Amino acid sequence: MKLENYSVRELEEELEKVLGKSVHLYGVYHVGGGSISQTYKVLTDVGTFFVKVKSSQTLPKIFEREMSGLKFLKETNTISVVNPIGCLQYEQYNYLILDWVEEGPKVDNYWEELGKSLAKLHLNTNRYFGFSEDNFI
């Protein structure tokens, strides 16, 4: 599936459902894909978004689970995580909408800071082993 195949109004309507407000679409740009989903940069008057698209025939809950995992990671305040916006199903496709993240400047201590953040993340404990649901992160 390609987002380019939808009319502008169809895309705006679907984004409005997730965002809860009126949306004017400026552009859709394919940025890649793999064996599971295609990805797009979506420019609107309310922000720029990263949209993942995949068939709902296989792994139908993958995006809901990915969003749940991202929200959990974000709530730990230990590591920088993209803001998950929402999920939707339209026709036979599932969509995950995330904030678009621009590439930042290169920093010399990136790997050191990532390691520290991951260590902080793993200090979060729970009474039980594992996550509250099966996921794909």
Side-chain angles (χ1 to χ4, degrees):
M1 170 60 200
K2 294 185 177 188
L3 280 183
E4 298 95 330
N5 293 346
Y6 286 104
S7 74
V8 169
R9 190 63 210 138
E10 284 177 312
L11 282 174
E12 288 173 341
E13 288 172 355
E14 293 306 310
L15 286 171
E16 287 169 357
K17 290 177 188 175
V18 172
L19 299 171
K21 56 183 151 187
S22 178
V23 174
H24 178 73
L25 187 67
Y26 295 140
V28 174
Y29 305 94
H30 187 255
V31 294
S35 60
I36 296 177
S37 57
Q38 294 296 310
T39 59
Y40 298 86
K41 181 178 187 177
V42 177
L43 302 165
T44 75
D45 62 334
V46 296
T48 302
F49 303 98
F50 182 74
V51 178
K52 295 174 73 171
V53 182
K54 66 168 272 326
S55 168
S56 59
Q57 302 302 309
T58 58
L59 302 170
K61 299 288 184 189
I62 191 171
F63 288 160
E64 289 89 349
R65 302 273 172 83
E66 184 174 344
M67 190 165 133
S68 177
L70 288 169
K71 284 181 177 179
F72 176 81
L73 290 172
K74 192 169 190 62
E75 289 170 2
T76 67
N77 292 315
T78 58
I79 192 164
S80 181
V81 177
V82 66
N83 187 37
I85 304 295
C87 296
L88 63 94
Q89 183 174 354
Y90 182 67
E91 295 182 352
Q92 70 270 21
Y93 295 95
N94 292 330
Y95 300 82
L96 174 62
I97 295 101
L98 308 165
D99 274 339
W100 178 264
V101 177
E102 290 292 340
E103 185 175 343
K106 305 275 189 246
V107 292
D108 291 335
N109 64 341
Y110 170 80
W111 293 108
E112 179 182 347
E113 291 303 313
L114 177 62
K116 288 178 183 177
S117 294
L118 286 171
K120 287 180 193 173
L121 174 65
H122 284 91
L123 290 176
N124 286 275
T125 60
N126 195 340
R127 185 173 174 194
Y128 301 102
F129 178 77
F131 194 54
S132 60
E133 62 186 3
D134 289 341
N135 63 34
F136 302 91
I137 293 184

